[in-house]
Amino acid sequence: MTIKKPFFRQQTKAEIKRKNLVETVSLADLVGLQTDQFVILQETLVPRGYESARKFMKHGYEVKLKRVYSLEQAIREGKTPVQLREQAFNDIDTRNYCGYSFLPLGRDRRKRKVSLVECLEGARIFAYAHQVSGAGIKVKAYSDSARVRLDGAEVVAEVPSRTKDEERIQLKLVSVPMIDCPEKYGVTLNIGSDHSCGSKRFNIRYKYTDDKESSGIVNSCCHEIAAYLELIQQQWQEMNIIPLQMSQFAIPSQETVDYYLKLENNVLVKDTNLLCEDKLRKPNRAEKEIGLWNFVLALGHDRTFYSRACRDGDVQAYRWR
């Protein structure tokens, strides 16, 4: 059995039930719960028609950032990822979403998909690395080649694990925008890595017959996001804003972190399919993803996922406990 380090520990169902039960509030209002209160959602949040939460995370509605189909178009439109996210996040409706996605332009044309849960977990690893002595994230960018302008840099990283007694995670990010040039608008779309943790390795997806886009997909995970956040901070200190400006990963605000922690520690779900007597369980990953998108719908992009705090050192100091 894997045991999470204390920084990443969630409260158990038993611990949550010892709190004061309050009447159900809307998903967006959960952040107003006191630490000694909890709510029970009376039904699962995953829409009907999906066999499981895992199926929803693979095939649910995506928030699709505006597609571009050539480097020339990307340069001509000149939209940074944060501008594209702002437009897409502010245009969402009441549907339940499983993440956001964008399309690359390079040889690897597999769609890139990012979950808000992974963005939160990446920010949590980043904070852990700076708040716990000896944790740290190591990043080294290789950006001296003339090809970096067209292909982006390669960044070797070492990220702490969330699990006790597990070795640190080594990975390499590729197609990382580092140079302020027109080609950066294409480079950022091709971002990828050689990393393959469990959440990526077993996230196998085959398209439905009416899907317009191919089955091939690259899911970003929290370890990659934590490494990229470290790179942003490192480069900002060296007066290079490009990794932040062209980041494909949404950086949460402290307000969004507080909301996420309420989903983990102050919410139970009534699930009639359970065999236990009280029919209660903690929210699964899909339900936390749906909750985060409801939070975005209620407060908008800028309050939830538009943060300059990474460059100013605030993300590393976020409160997670």
Side-chain angles (χ1 to χ4, degrees), residues 193-198 200-201 224:
S193 85
D194 66 352
H195 179 52
S196 184
C197 64
K200 292 170 67 72
R201 186 180 302 119
E224 297 162 333

Side-chain angles (χ1 to χ4, degrees), residues 185-208:
Y185 296 103
V187 169
T188 184
L189 293 170
N190 298 329
I191 191 164
S193 85
D194 66 352
H195 179 52
S196 184
C197 64
S199 66
K200 292 170 67 72
R201 186 180 302 119
F202 301 112
N203 199 348
I204 300 168
R205 175 187 184 270
Y206 293 100
K207 68 176 182 178
Y208 290 139

Side-chain angles (χ1 to χ4, degrees), residues 284-304:
N284 57 39
R285 186 174 182 274
E287 288 162 338
K288 288 190 282 189
E289 184 76 18
I290 291 168
L292 286 168
W293 284 110
N294 272 268
F295 196 56
V296 173
L297 179 64
L299 299 187
H301 170 267
D302 287 3
R303 277 183 64 179
T304 56

Side-chain angles (χ1 to χ4, degrees), residues 115-137:
S115 153
L116 294 186
V117 168
E118 294 298 322
C119 290
L120 267 295
E121 289 298 325
R124 175 146 54 182
I125 294 172
F126 178 68
Y128 167 78
H130 287 272
Q131 293 179 29
V132 177
S133 176
I137 297 174

Side-chain angles (χ1 to χ4, degrees), residues 51-214:
E51 299 172 14
S52 63
R54 183 184 293 270
K55 205 75 168 179
F56 168 78
M57 289 301 292
K58 293 179 181 179
H59 296 286
Y61 285 111
E62 297 171 8
V63 176
K64 296 184 178 182
L65 306 193
K66 184 180 179 182
R67 298 337 196 191
V68 294
Y69 300 98
S70 69
L71 177 59
E72 292 73 21
Q73 181 189 356
I75 294 173
R76 184 172 64 252
E77 296 187 1
K79 296 288 188 181
T80 65
V82 70
Q83 290 173 320
L84 294 173
R85 285 196 300 273
E86 179 181 20
Q87 179 182 352
F89 282 27
N90 286 336
D91 285 346
I92 63 173
D93 54 29
T94 56
R95 285 181 290 186
N96 295 319
Y97 295 97
C98 66
Y100 66 91
S101 66
F102 56 95
L103 290 181
L105 296 174
R107 290 186 297 272
D108 181 357
R109 291 299 182 107
R110 292 175 297 170
K111 177 171 63 177
R112 273 43 168 180
K113 184 175 175 182
V114 186
S115 153
L116 294 186
V117 168
E118 294 298 322
C119 290
L120 267 295
E121 289 298 325
R124 175 146 54 182
I125 294 172
F126 178 68
Y128 167 78
H130 287 272
Q131 293 179 29
V132 177
S133 176
I137 297 174
K138 297 179 182 178
V139 293
K140 181 173 177 57
Y142 294 85
S143 56
D144 294 333
S145 169
R147 294 290 304 179
V148 170
R149 180 186 182 98
L150 297 175
D151 298 336
E154 294 189 355
V155 178
V156 176
E158 188 176 283
V159 180
S161 170
R162 291 172 290 178
T163 305
K164 283 186 176 181
D165 302 322
E166 189 172 293
E167 293 183 356
R168 290 168 64 84
I169 295 157
Q170 296 180 334
L171 59 92
K172 181 175 72 173
L173 300 173
V174 298
S175 192
V176 177
M178 293 281 284
I179 298 175
D180 190 9
C181 60
E183 290 82 2
K184 67 185 178 181
Y185 296 103
V187 169
T188 184
L189 293 170
N190 298 329
I191 191 164
S193 85
D194 66 352
H195 179 52
S196 184
C197 64
S199 66
K200 292 170 67 72
R201 186 180 302 119
F202 301 112
N203 199 348
I204 300 168
R205 175 187 184 270
Y206 293 100
K207 68 176 182 178
Y208 290 139
T209 55
D210 59 349
D211 280 355
K212 295 181 180 179
E213 296 175 349
S214 70

Side-chain angles (χ1 to χ4, degrees), residues 17 40 47 141 147 208 216 224 237 266:
K17 286 182 68 176
I40 296 175
R147 294 290 304 179
Y208 290 139
E224 297 162 333
Q237 292 169 351
N266 299 82

Side-chain angles (χ1 to χ4, degrees), residues 260-315:
Y260 184 64
L261 292 175
K262 291 294 177 12
L263 285 171
E264 288 190 336
N265 301 313
N266 299 82
V267 176
L268 294 175
V269 178
K270 193 82 168 181
D271 189 340
T272 56
N273 294 319
L274 296 176
L275 297 178
C276 58
E277 184 177 350
D278 61 11
K279 304 293 184 183
L280 295 176
R281 60 167 173 79
K282 289 170 61 76
N284 57 39
R285 186 174 182 274
E287 288 162 338
K288 288 190 282 189
E289 184 76 18
I290 291 168
L292 286 168
W293 284 110
N294 272 268
F295 196 56
V296 173
L297 179 64
L299 299 187
H301 170 267
D302 287 3
R303 277 183 64 179
T304 56
F305 282 97
Y306 178 56
S307 177
R308 293 186 178 92
C310 192
R311 72 182 191 193
D312 299 328
D314 293 346
V315 174

